[in-house]
Amino acid sequence: MDFIKLQTDQTFIKELEKRVESDGPFTSHQLFSLAHQADQAKIIPSFTGLRSLDFLPHMSFLDHQLVTAKETIEKMNGRAILADEVGLGKTIEAGLILKEYMLRGLVKNALILVPASLVNQWVNELNQKFYIPAVSHRKNYNWDGNYILVSSLDTAKRSPHREAILANEYDFVLIDEAHKLKNHKTKNYQFVRQIKKKYCLLLTATPIQNDLMEIFNLIAILRPGHLGDMTTFKQKYTGNKGKVEADTYLKQLIERVMIRNTRENTDLKPSNRHINTIWVDFSKDEASVYDRLNNLKKVNDMFTKMTLLREMCSSREACYLSLNKLLESRGEDEDIQSIIQDIGQLPAHSKADKAVELIQSIGDEKVIIFTEYRATQLYLQWYLQQHGISSVPFQGGFKRGKKDWMIQLFRDRAQVLIATEAGAEGINLQFCHHLINYDLPWNPMKIEQRIGRIHRFGQENDVKIYNIAIKNTIEEHILTILYEKIQLFENVIGELDAILSELNINNFDKEIESIYAESDSLGEAKIKLENLASIVHQMANENKAAGEYYDNR
Amino acid sequence: MTIANLESFIVEFFNAYGCNVQNQESGVIQVELTEELDKALMNRPFYWHYMKSLNQQGVPMSLTLITDPDKRDMKGEWIDIGSPRLQQIFNHVTSQEKYVLLFQEVEAEINTPLYPWLLANFKISYSGRQKKEELISLGIHLLNGKMIVNMMDELEKLTLKQQISDLCYTITPIITLSSGYKRLEKIILNYIDNQPKEWANEAMETLNEEIALLQHFYQDDLDDKILKKEVEELNNRYTPEINIEVISGGIVYLLDNFPKS
């Protein structure tokens, strides 16, 4: 008993005496018993188990996520490497663990360090899914106080933030993409090592990429000494390219601080993605307009030209609007005017015909169409209506209420949702499993987000994705050179994100834009695109291999 | 968890604060807040500050809260056991409504004495590798020193008012508040002493193991700064601790026959 720190409470009785003396204030019986009910509701009745589940009735967790959270807390005492394969919900596991500690009053402040591109996503997920009041760190915020702060590691490690963070004590520290810490000589590593923390989670899909020292270093952040001291470990394992499983003892030790779920060992049977690319030929007239746009000498800005060509592949209307704008800014221009006239003469767009045909062949099932252009959206809505197909529009500018309303209409009434924006978090469209990419954005992340709307946990059917692309146009480049090569459509949700952030490509659009803008010919652009695709592809393979390196048993 | 019906809890909460509450349709609660609750719940201090500086009456907001999952799509704010709004309500009520001075309601025909009781609702937190909490409600008769457990439950069976009923009068305590409280605390300490201690032993074992591991790791340099930091972290994480806190309580004047058995 004497080794237990015991703290009693004198404030209550002093305050009560004070109130008796000054005649109050006192509360009514009704409010008093409401307060008591609330106190009872908040109580943590047992050392074990996940109390947080009671407070998250809107979430449904997968079995492996629950087991991981429980093990991390009960067996690993809150310090662990979460190394699930991509797409199994490491974020969910981490959120659940944090929530549990907060409910138990064991965590009051937390520091969550993630790649810059993921800061907002983390904040949103913690807020919406876990009701955790996380905030992203802003310039004038303090690093102390009882906040759940999300920041990028790059910001945090720079002065003066670095000093402020190291002066503070955190109940909970989380590092996402923790494989960046595998080298103990780097600034990142030294910094994280010095942060004062109680509980600590390291998240990575690739705990070991090349060398066993990497895992040694990660574990030294959580539990120094767990794998022995560095000199001995080095002697034993350096140059040992053999796999972890060759040493059962080491593997067991690692498993005491690391949890890795793989698709194979979870009961998760993800629905599959089926990708169909549907090629469409321009009609003779459309092709001639496209060629004229392509040969427009007066538009020598490659980017503007690309935009016009992409628009032409989407709808006459989208292209028409841009040409008109061009005309306004440049004044009289015979070439442009005559193209505009030609566009006016064109009958229905070949792609729209194909889309109608496709939707009819799908039958009664729900379909989402994504397009980049508002004009195309309007046109399609009209055109589908002409063919007796009901649809509702969806775009980023809608207010939250209208978005919800449109989705409800789509679910209950309309067959098709025509959307210009995919990013909106929290919209669940799992009830639909057909998706048409009516045109292709240049940013592959957008494609991921689009697909992610329907291909997510809870989708019970295989997801069918249709890319409608026009032959012999810029669409063919983007699709065949870039997207097919990086196996974009087969990728698991989230994987691409990790790769791009590793490559420091924050803005894929810009990357592609600049490729076109800086290329003198289409041929040159093609080669550059291919190079870009190769890098991403290679990276994906390396990550995959690194995962297998540990998993092979 | 003891809030069996969230909806009636919420309705009762707002009613108790004198808000105008509409709950005609089940699962949907419409509330016109009072100024007090607007300030407590709506997080707009600047508005109230501004109104005050203009010497104007502020207009409290209205809330529509939805508890029925089938009505989630309706206009309003979804509220469930975990949602921030409910936590806010919980925090408000548990922090503001801690102290009572109540009298049992009696329809007396002759002069009737009411006897003073001290009520204290203890929360005991045990933390080691993990954490557990326990609520114990105790009461002590401030004349004869008689003590009972589950005092709150007993009180729920009675009608208690902030004013004393006609023809009733109170008996002055013999035992002071602070010595009454000491007796209750002693009961709690005694209770804790008789509880199983495995959790604390486990925590100590883990702590010692972890420190040994750490020292082995830093064997070449036991003065290392990081070593000291890590040891401190381990102490924070594992040192077994029991925390006793009174979360609510007060003085209750009751009839001689309390508790009715």
Side-chain angles (χ1 to χ4, degrees):
Chain A
M1 179 84 188
D2 40 343
F3 58 86
I4 303 176
K5 242 167 110 186
L6 184 73
Q7 201 149 9
T8 55
D9 176 19
Q10 302 309 321
T11 48
F12 162 76
I13 197 66
K14 283 191 185 129
E15 175 68 22
L16 182 63
E17 282 170 335
K18 209 177 97 196
R19 291 194 186 207
V20 168
E21 229 162 82
S22 55
D23 268 337
F26 290 108
T27 197
S28 69
H29 189 207
Q30 189 186 22
L31 280 170
F32 188 70
S33 62
L34 284 175
H36 195 65
Q37 284 179 48
D39 277 323
Q40 283 176 313
K42 287 196 293 188
I43 217 81
I44 311 292
S46 156
F47 283 119
T48 54
L50 295 173
R51 181 75 163 105
S52 45
L53 297 182
D54 295 333
F55 290 90
L56 299 169
H58 60 294
M59 291 285 289
S60 54
F61 296 97
L62 298 163
D63 282 348
H64 74 270
Q65 295 168 339
L66 296 175
V67 172
T68 300
K70 228 167 128 42
E71 293 232 325
T72 303
I73 295 172
E74 291 173 15
K75 297 217 176 104
M76 301 175 175
N77 300 313
R79 287 200 180 193
I81 301 172
L82 303 185
D84 286 4
E85 271 184 347
V86 169
L88 293 182
K90 285 190 288 291
T91 318
I92 301 288
E93 292 161 4
L96 188 55
I97 293 165
L98 175 57
K99 180 78 183 177
E100 185 68 28
Y101 278 128
M102 290 179 72
L103 272 178
R104 287 178 182 264
L106 293 167
V107 167
K108 299 220 160 50
N109 69 349
L111 180 65
I112 294 167
L113 299 176
V114 308
S117 58
L118 299 181
V119 169
N120 285 334
Q121 197 180 319
W122 267 92
V123 170
N124 289 339
E125 293 221 349
L126 290 176
N127 278 310
Q128 287 164 11
K129 293 188 173 147
F130 294 97
Y131 298 138
I132 292 174
V135 288
S136 62
H137 182 265
R138 303 250 176 277
K139 249 188 197 157
N140 304 320
Y141 280 21
N142 289 330
W143 290 96
D144 50 6
N146 283 344
Y147 301 115
I148 310 299
L149 282 177
V150 184
S151 165
S152 73
L153 182 56
D154 289 332
T155 306
K157 73 173 182 214
R158 275 200 312 263
S159 209
H161 309 304
R162 177 194 161 86
E163 291 72 21
I165 289 171
L166 292 183
N168 204 7
E169 279 180 39
Y170 296 94
D171 292 331
F172 184 96
V173 170
L174 181 150
I175 318 281
D176 192 11
E177 309 290 343
H179 45 266
K180 287 183 182 151
L181 302 176
K182 59 200 175 197
N183 183 347
H184 70 284
K185 289 182 184 132
T186 57
K187 269 203 172 130
N188 279 347
Y189 187 87
Q190 302 290 347
F191 169 62
V192 169
R193 192 64 208 283
Q194 287 173 48
I195 300 175
K196 296 192 199 77
K197 60 199 182 287
K198 205 155 93 177
Y199 306 109
C200 182
L201 299 180
L202 303 177
L203 274 54
T204 170
T206 52
I208 307 173
Q209 280 175 316
N210 301 304
D211 192 337
L212 285 174
M213 274 321 283
E214 296 171 5
I215 192 89
F216 181 89
N217 291 331
L218 285 184
I219 291 176
I221 294 174
L222 300 173
R223 203 168 181 244
H226 183 74
L227 296 181
D229 62 285
M230 188 182 271
T231 331
T232 322
F233 189 88
K234 247 188 181 158
Q235 274 167 8
K236 199 161 169 197
Y237 295 104
T238 304
N240 181 353
K241 281 272 173 186
K243 311 211 149 133
V244 178
E245 63 280 5
D247 191 328
T248 353
Y249 173 68
L250 178 64
K251 190 166 158 60
Q252 274 173 2
L253 269 183
I254 291 176
E255 277 171 359
R256 274 158 62 184
V257 285
M258 173 165 119
I259 301 178
R260 179 166 174 86
N261 296 303
T262 57
R263 278 205 158 56
E264 263 170 66
N265 70 17
T266 56
D267 51 1
L268 186 72
K269 289 183 194 68
S271 57
N272 292 314
R273 290 183 187 181
H274 299 282
I275 321 288
N276 298 301
T277 297
I278 297 166
W279 292 104
V280 179
D281 285 309
F282 265 147
S283 70
K284 223 175 122 197
D285 292 339
E286 284 165 336
S288 110
V289 173
Y290 185 88
D291 287 341
R292 287 184 62 193
L293 285 170
N294 202 5
N295 295 326
L296 255 184
K297 294 235 162 46
K298 285 175 191 144
V299 183
N300 38 26
D301 159 16
M302 199 67 176
F303 178 65
T304 310
K305 190 181 267 179
M306 285 303 131
T307 307
L308 288 173
L309 293 177
R310 290 172 70 202
E311 286 169 344
M312 186 56 209
C313 290
S314 179
S315 69
R316 303 161 303 177
E317 286 74 3
C319 186
Y320 172 83
L321 285 178
S322 290
L323 282 173
N324 258 338
K325 267 196 202 140
L326 208 60
L327 208 54
E328 271 170 33
S329 64
R330 295 183 177 223
E332 292 295 302
D333 187 308
E334 272 177 37
D335 274 358
I336 294 178
Q337 253 159 352
S338 97
I339 294 179
I340 288 178
Q341 249 168 22
D342 282 5
I343 286 182
Q345 302 298 315
L346 289 175
H349 199 279
S350 307
K351 217 184 210 177
D353 280 333
K354 199 72 190 179
V356 167
E357 199 180 297
L358 177 61
I359 294 167
Q360 282 165 344
S361 75
I362 288 170
D364 289 338
E365 291 180 5
K366 306 275 177 196
V367 182
I368 300 172
I369 302 181
F370 278 107
T371 172
E372 289 269 272
Y373 306 102
R374 191 75 65 79
T376 306
Q377 183 189 32
L378 285 170
Y379 167 67
L380 269 179
Q381 215 187 339
W382 173 82
Y383 196 70
L384 292 185
Q385 193 206 356
Q386 299 297 305
H387 289 80
I389 300 169
S390 56
S391 68
V392 285
F394 188 91
Q395 60 208 41
F398 286 174
K399 290 217 171 93
R400 179 80 214 180
K402 187 162 180 188
K403 281 183 181 168
D404 293 345
W405 173 237
M406 286 300 156
I407 287 170
Q408 201 184 334
L409 275 182
F410 174 43
R411 192 175 49 214
D412 301 339
R413 305 266 169 84
Q415 190 193 353
V416 179
L417 181 83
I418 309 174
T420 54
E421 183 218 62
E425 271 297 314
I427 50 170
N428 296 328
L429 300 172
Q430 290 104 312
F431 56 85
C432 168
H433 60 275
H434 295 278
L435 185 156
I436 299 177
N437 284 312
Y438 194 79
D439 37 44
L440 290 172
W442 283 8
N443 184 348
M445 281 312 297
K446 269 197 188 163
I447 297 262
E448 275 289 329
Q449 283 167 352
R450 286 178 175 185
I451 300 174
R453 293 292 115 223
I454 62 169
H455 192 206
R456 44 171 53 211
F457 300 129
Q459 175 58 265
E460 280 157 15
N461 296 292
D462 283 0
V463 170
K464 302 221 166 74
I465 296 157
Y466 311 89
N467 302 314
I468 309 185
I470 298 179
K471 269 201 164 157
N472 302 317
T473 63
I474 186 164
E475 286 192 332
E476 194 176 339
H477 292 176
I478 297 282
L479 193 68
T480 55
I481 304 175
L482 190 61
Y483 289 173
E484 285 184 0
K485 183 141 189 199
I486 64 179
Q487 293 173 314
L488 177 68
F489 301 100
E490 286 85 2
N491 254 324
V492 193
I493 306 164
E495 200 166 316
L496 188 66
D497 215 10
I499 294 169
L500 294 183
S501 85
E502 218 162 307
L503 287 172
N504 274 329
I505 300 179
N506 288 327
N507 197 330
F508 209 86
D509 296 37
K510 286 261 159 62
E511 204 73 29
I512 297 180
E513 269 172 30
S514 69
I515 285 180
Y516 277 109
E518 288 159 19
S519 300
D520 295 328
S521 68
L522 278 180
E524 190 184 336
K526 259 187 185 177
I527 292 172
K528 286 180 180 167
L529 275 182
E530 268 180 31
N531 290 341
L532 178 63
S534 307
I535 296 171
V536 175
H537 185 60
Q538 188 192 342
M539 201 75 158
N541 280 342
E542 273 173 19
N543 280 356
K544 217 170 139 207
E548 282 162 7
Y549 179 76
Y550 181 80
D551 296 329
N552 281 333
R553 317 191 161 208
Chain B
M1 205 142 28
T2 48
I3 293 187
N5 187 335
L6 193 61
E7 188 172 0
S8 60
F9 178 90
I10 295 167
V11 169
E12 209 185 323
F13 170 84
F14 286 111
N15 274 327
Y17 279 104
C19 299
N20 184 6
V21 184
Q22 307 275 335
N23 184 209
Q24 280 123 349
E25 191 183 342
S26 91
V28 182
I29 307 163
Q30 280 165 313
V31 197
E32 287 170 34
L33 296 176
T34 57
E35 185 175 330
E36 181 196 357
L37 277 195
D38 185 297
K39 283 176 180 166
L41 302 180
M42 303 315 288
N43 190 25
R44 42 177 202 157
F46 295 119
Y47 172 78
W48 290 106
H49 186 76
Y50 181 63
M51 282 297 149
K52 201 178 161 196
S53 71
L54 290 180
N55 243 334
Q56 278 188 19
Q57 193 85 30
V59 184
M61 290 169 89
S62 290
L63 269 180
T64 303
L65 300 171
I66 296 160
T67 57
D68 182 348
D70 292 338
K71 294 177 181 155
R72 251 193 121 135
D73 295 333
M74 285 181 58
K75 213 174 160 191
E77 189 182 315
W78 169 252
I79 187 164
D80 65 27
I81 183 73
S83 58
R85 179 71 72 203
L86 190 71
Q87 294 308 309
Q88 213 185 9
I89 288 174
F90 277 7
N91 289 340
H92 181 76
V93 80
T94 53
S95 66
Q96 299 302 310
E97 315 298 345
K98 285 161 110 64
Y99 298 93
V100 280
L101 176 68
L102 294 169
F103 304 89
Q104 184 168 0
E105 192 179 55
V106 184
E107 285 185 25
E109 283 159 11
I110 50 166
N111 283 348
T112 308
L114 293 179
Y115 294 87
W117 286 77
L118 170 65
L119 160 72
N121 296 320
F122 288 89
K123 182 165 97 176
I124 312 171
S125 317
Y126 308 83
S127 49
R129 288 172 50 212
Q130 266 284 35
K131 189 169 171 186
K132 180 177 102 165
E133 295 166 341
E134 199 173 5
L135 280 188
I136 298 182
S137 174
L138 295 183
I140 179 169
H141 193 298
L142 293 178
L143 260 75
N144 61 17
K146 180 181 170 184
M147 290 189 255
I148 67 161
V149 280
N150 298 330
M151 175 91 167
M152 269 314 259
D153 294 344
E154 293 298 329
L155 292 179
E156 285 307 313
K157 298 174 192 162
L158 310 174
T159 312
L160 302 170
K161 295 276 172 199
Q162 288 182 277
Q163 278 84 35
I164 192 163
S165 303
D166 291 345
L167 292 179
C168 289
Y169 62 96
T170 59
I171 307 279
T172 313
I174 294 174
I175 301 169
T176 63
L177 284 179
S178 68
S179 76
Y181 179 69
K182 276 206 190 85
R183 294 192 203 186
L184 295 181
E185 198 179 67
K186 218 168 154 192
I187 298 287
I188 291 289
L189 290 173
N190 198 20
Y191 168 80
I192 289 172
D193 219 14
N194 289 317
Q195 291 297 298
K197 299 283 180 314
E198 281 90 355
W199 65 273
N201 293 328
E202 268 171 31
M204 267 333 260
E205 265 168 43
T206 313
L207 177 60
N208 292 333
E209 267 171 38
E210 294 283 313
I211 290 180
L213 198 66
L214 205 57
Q215 279 166 344
H216 177 72
F217 187 70
Y218 287 98
Q219 55 192 333
D220 301 331
D221 184 11
L222 285 174
D223 288 327
D224 195 287
K225 237 170 75 189
I226 291 203
L227 169 65
K228 284 185 185 146
K229 172 204 143 217
E230 304 269 1
V231 171
E232 205 184 302
E233 285 174 11
L234 288 173
N235 278 319
N236 286 342
R237 193 148 63 115
Y238 293 116
T239 307
E241 219 178 293
I242 296 177
N243 208 340
I244 301 167
E245 186 196 354
V246 180
I247 49 170
S248 61
I251 301 165
V252 198
Y253 288 93
L254 303 168
L255 280 177
D256 197 17
N257 64 359
F258 180 83
K260 278 187 199 160
S261 51

